[in-house]
Amino acid sequence: MLHYQPIQTHHFKNLEDLKDYTSDEQKHIQRVPLKNLLDSKSCFNLDTQFMNLKTGFTFNEAGIKSLCQTVGVPFNLLTRLQGAGLASDVLNDVFAQPETLKKLQNQHLVVDDRTNQILCLVSQSYRNYSNFSFLEDLLETGFKDNEFSFQEAVVSNTNLVLRTLSPKVKGCMKQRDGSDGEDVTTLGLQLRNSMVGESSVFAEYYTLRRICGNGMTVKVGGNTTRVYHSGKQSSFAYRLNTQIGKAIEGFEQVLTMIRTLGALEFRPRKLAELKAPVFEVLPQLKEASREINAFYSRNDEERESRLINDHSALIETIPEQFGGETSACVFNSPFRTNASLWDFLNVFTEHAKTLDHSERLDVEEKVGQLSVWCANHQTQLN
């Protein structure tokens, strides 16, 4: 049976702790040419290690999946093999094939030398850009001078997600129940980097609804800015500053989207009729939708109308199923009979706060995608 370690995820609430962590990370994340290991007769052993007479490496989940993808061995197949040593035998057989050896000549292992754990495979042409260098360049660009404040950061398998907010950029909506006060959403940027080849540096929009602390990431009009791990490293800071400047220019689009969603009434049947990607946000909803689709025969003449009815009913239950205290104040209040689409979307982001950090980021990104879809279909949803 194949053995590997879970991916470690670290959450940071202040910039100094993040800088300390990435400084240490930079010292210990190394690249090892796979060709050198193959030349020294390295092989898989005990379904756990890739080793030779001098050293041995273990894998985390991302590392073994990356290896399987590179050599064309289905990861799910290896995990189903029960016999002791069988997974090692399969991989050793694949590694002995000439076409595999040729494919691996230009691959590097990304290794944490503190544990000798393989995190990923990357091409030798992949230019490393450490998270610590990324943070230094980010501060060098004058990012701090623009008064962006650190919100939080998550690092998982060297994949960094950094969230910042600008107190100068916010959208305000009057409460729909007529009460005093405003519903304020602050805008900022979410920035990503990776040391294992999974992501270029890129920026997207991050929103934080102050009334409940719900976060969401948004791509508007394809305006996701990227700085690829290529070219001269000395130019990274300049290119990063340029792309962040372009992202800042798009803040007004996000404010417009939020105002649009706040003005649209939450209508479950409309969302069902238009096949809005509501059920893509959470796996539980995706499975429930799949079961509804499978229930009705494709030969049923009334299948479409029945699907709309059932999906509409499912959407209507979402605030009760997944909403928290803030959502209950909207959807269970006798004074609120006209919840907005923005209220509905924040049911998901409120639920996301109960998940672990990786799942939360994924849900908040999917809510952002649904938000953009709704804004783009505002005429049909009105």
Side-chain angles (χ1 to χ4, degrees):
M1 178 182 291
L2 186 66
H3 299 283
Y4 53 86
Q5 299 301 312
I7 297 170
Q8 299 296 314
T9 299
H10 306 275
H11 183 238
F12 302 92
K13 295 184 177 180
N14 66 74
L15 183 58
E16 291 307 312
D17 285 348
L18 177 62
K19 287 169 68 176
D20 289 343
Y21 176 86
T22 56
S23 175
D24 194 47
E25 178 187 60
Q26 179 177 246
K27 297 171 187 174
H28 293 287
I29 303 302
Q30 308 293 330
R31 285 172 58 164
V32 179
L34 194 47
K35 181 181 185 302
N36 295 351
L37 297 174
L38 296 172
D39 290 344
S40 63
K41 308 301 181 184
S42 296
C43 64
F44 294 89
N45 188 40
L46 300 175
D47 295 340
T48 304
Q49 288 186 304
F50 184 61
M51 61 183 296
N52 54 35
L53 294 176
K54 293 183 178 181
T55 187
F57 298 96
T58 59
F59 293 86
N60 70 5
E61 183 177 352
I64 190 63
K65 284 182 175 179
S66 176
L67 175 77
C68 288
Q69 183 178 12
T70 301
V71 300
V73 175
F75 172 75
N76 290 337
L77 170 64
L78 288 182
T79 59
R80 293 200 302 268
L81 298 177
Q82 297 298 311
L86 192 52
S88 290
D89 290 342
V90 170
L91 288 169
N92 285 329
D93 184 83
V94 172
F95 267 52
Q97 298 170 13
E99 58 269 30
T100 303
L101 290 172
K102 183 179 179 180
K103 187 182 296 184
L104 296 175
Q105 293 300 304
N106 297 322
Q107 294 291 314
H108 286 188
L109 301 176
V110 180
V111 176
D112 187 333
D113 67 12
R114 292 166 291 192
T115 58
N116 264 18
Q117 188 176 94
I118 297 171
L119 309 181
C120 191
L121 270 71
V122 296
S123 167
Q124 69 176 12
S125 63
Y126 180 77
R127 188 176 294 278
N128 186 50
Y129 185 39
S130 74
N131 291 326
F132 185 72
S133 296
F134 166 65
L135 290 175
E136 284 191 319
D137 286 345
L138 190 61
L139 296 175
E140 184 182 318
T141 61
F143 194 74
K144 214 168 188 178
D145 295 337
N146 290 321
E147 296 187 17
F148 281 89
S149 61
F150 179 93
Q151 181 67 15
E152 64 171 335
V154 174
V155 180
S156 179
N157 207 50
T158 81
N159 294 305
L160 167 65
V161 178
L162 169 65
R163 289 178 161 178
T164 66
L165 289 172
S166 170
K168 292 182 177 181
V169 187
K170 61 183 179 180
C172 302
M173 290 182 289
K174 293 291 184 182
Q175 302 287 3
R176 288 173 66 90
D177 59 3
S179 61
D180 293 335
E182 292 181 323
D183 187 348
V184 178
T185 297
T186 308
L187 270 64
L189 293 176
Q190 175 171 283
L191 301 152
R192 294 178 182 261
N193 185 50
S194 172
M195 297 170 65
V196 293
E198 294 183 16
S199 169
S200 56
V201 179
F202 71 92
E204 55 196 344
Y205 305 114
Y206 171 61
T207 71
L208 184 71
R209 193 182 189 189
R210 290 296 184 183
I211 196 172
C212 51
N214 296 351
M216 181 174 70
T217 55
V218 181
K219 300 184 180 82
V220 176
N223 190 12
T224 301
T225 58
R226 295 181 180 271
V227 179
Y228 292 99
H229 286 217
S230 61
K232 294 181 179 180
Q233 188 160 334
S234 59
S235 70
F236 272 27
Y238 170 76
R239 287 185 284 155
L240 184 62
N241 189 38
T242 300
Q243 297 304 333
I244 287 174
K246 290 180 180 178
I248 292 173
E249 291 173 0
F251 274 151
E252 185 56 40
Q253 299 176 62
V254 187
L255 295 175
T256 299
M257 184 194 74
I258 291 171
R259 287 191 287 265
T260 297
L261 297 172
L264 290 170
E265 188 173 342
F266 169 53
R267 296 176 178 176
R269 188 169 185 84
K270 279 284 188 181
L271 292 168
E273 289 173 347
L274 293 171
K275 296 182 172 59
V278 174
F279 308 119
E280 298 298 315
V281 177
L282 296 174
Q284 307 96 304
L285 292 175
K286 193 170 186 177
E287 178 59 21
S289 175
R290 188 195 66 78
E291 290 177 358
I292 290 172
N293 288 326
F295 184 78
Y296 296 107
S297 168
R298 294 189 178 276
N299 297 322
D300 185 345
E301 293 181 357
E302 298 183 14
R303 182 175 189 269
E304 190 63 26
S305 62
R306 288 172 174 170
L307 287 177
I308 290 173
N309 289 338
D310 286 3
H311 279 125
S312 175
L314 178 58
I315 293 171
E316 196 165 4
T317 68
I318 288 174
E320 183 177 353
Q321 281 193 74
F322 300 103
E325 182 179 348
T326 303
S327 297
C329 290
V330 175
F331 289 92
N332 299 336
S333 170
F335 305 104
R336 290 289 301 270
T337 58
N338 60 342
S340 70
L341 261 180
W342 184 238
D343 293 323
F344 173 64
L345 293 164
N346 274 272
V347 170
F348 290 118
T349 52
E350 187 173 23
H351 173 70
K353 293 189 294 186
T354 68
L355 306 175
D356 68 38
H357 298 304
S358 295
E359 290 178 315
R360 175 170 60 88
L361 294 177
D362 182 59
V363 169
E364 289 172 351
E365 182 176 345
K366 288 176 178 175
V367 178
Q369 293 168 357
L370 176 59
S371 299
V372 174
W373 187 95
C374 290
N376 290 340
H377 293 79
Q378 59 179 293
T379 302
Q380 298 98 307
L381 290 169
N382 204 343

